[in-house]
Amino acid sequence: MDIKEIKEYLPHRYPFLLVDRVVELNLESRNIRAYKNVSVNEPFFNGHFPEHPIMPGVLIIEAMAQAAGLLGFKMMDVKPADGTLYYFVGSDKLRFRQPVVPGDQLQLEAQHLSNRRGIWKFACRATVDGKEACSGEIICAEHRI
């Protein structure tokens, strides 16, 4: 999926659209691989931290949640334009392993774990150069608008 198709499935826009491309999406195995190119021009680097820029952990989590949301939308075969959104409602087993800095390509992976009564759970991982930066379970709630 290129950015044009991603924007059909995610309601986020700059500066909160945190998925640049989907490189693999497998509905049979219910997993997705995507990435975010981390540029020094990201607005959050102005304050986090000017002399030692680090991508905020909450935005790494958000990027994983957006990748998981793309997978969920594709699994349900719906788009936000159809009246469905996913709200990020929680996380479990969250761990940070290393910082993400300008110039990194943040690889995002999500694997569908379960869906019960509109609550979706995904095992997610964010890596840079094959090294884990963050991992955890992302929980999303399906919401009709």
Side-chain angles (χ1 to χ4, degrees), residues 88-118:
F88 173 36
V89 296
S91 63
D92 290 325
K93 304 177 186 173
L94 195 61
R95 295 290 179 267
F96 293 99
R97 307 278 184 217
Q98 72 173 31
V100 176
V101 299
D104 285 346
Q105 186 176 74
L106 188 63
Q107 299 286 328
L108 306 164
E109 301 170 17
Q111 173 74 48
H112 176 257
L113 296 175
S114 65
N115 175 21
R116 292 183 184 91
R117 296 184 311 253

Side-chain angles (χ1 to χ4, degrees), residues 18-21 35-39 42 103-107:
L18 299 174
V19 177
D20 291 331
R21 183 170 297 272
Y35 65 80
K36 160 76 176 143
N37 290 313
V38 182
S39 166
E42 306 283 355
D104 285 346
Q105 186 176 74
L106 188 63
Q107 299 286 328

Side-chain angles (χ1 to χ4, degrees), residues 63-80:
M64 293 189 310
Q66 288 181 21
L70 282 166
L71 178 58
F73 276 121
K74 284 292 214 173
M75 288 175 63
M76 288 182 53
D77 194 27
V78 297
K79 298 177 181 178

Side-chain angles (χ1 to χ4, degrees), residues 60-61 64 94-97 124-127 132-136:
I60 298 170
I61 297 166
M64 293 189 310
L94 195 61
R95 295 290 179 267
F96 293 99
R97 307 278 184 217
C124 296
R125 211 173 94 126
T127 61
E132 190 170 282
C134 183
S135 65

Side-chain angles (χ1 to χ4, degrees), residues 122-143:
F122 301 88
C124 296
R125 211 173 94 126
T127 61
V128 174
D129 295 328
K131 297 176 187 163
E132 190 170 282
C134 183
S135 65
E137 293 178 354
I138 299 293
I139 304 162
C140 301
E142 181 183 328
H143 181 72

